[in-house]
Amino acid sequence: TAVIPGEGREAPVRVAGTSDVTIDVGERSVEARRWELTVDGATHLVWSDRSDGRILRVEIPDRGWRSDRRADE
């Protein structure tokens, strides 16, 4: 279940798939797991660090929204 910010409601989350990938965080490459989630009918992509689980990137393609962890965090 996901909390929908600003709407005060919850929505079901479905894991559509996962894959292991390498992404760039700042100037370094990080081994990551890419999660494809469906939340309220919209695809959400989440990348987490495979070594410690930290969230590295979140993207909602339908909204043109993406957030990346800064290299120094």
Side-chain angles (χ1 to χ4, degrees):
T1 302
V3 175
I4 308 301
E7 296 182 22
R9 64 183 183 88
E10 296 180 350
V13 176
R14 183 178 70 82
V15 177
T18 63
S19 58
D20 291 335
V21 297
T22 301
I23 65 170
D24 293 328
V25 176
E27 294 187 18
R28 67 184 181 103
S29 294
V30 178
E31 297 296 316
R33 174 148 298 137
R34 178 184 177 272
W35 302 79
E36 183 175 336
L37 310 172
T38 302
V39 180
D40 230 12
T43 298
H44 291 59
L45 305 173
V46 177
W47 288 260
S48 62
D49 189 316
R50 286 181 23 208
S51 68
D52 62 13
R54 290 182 317 149
I55 300 299
L56 302 171
R57 179 181 296 157
V58 177
E59 184 174 350
I60 306 172
D62 292 346
R63 294 186 180 177
W65 187 87
R66 176 174 150 172
S67 179
D68 291 281
R69 178 174 292 279
R70 292 188 341 204
D72 59 351
E73 294 182 320

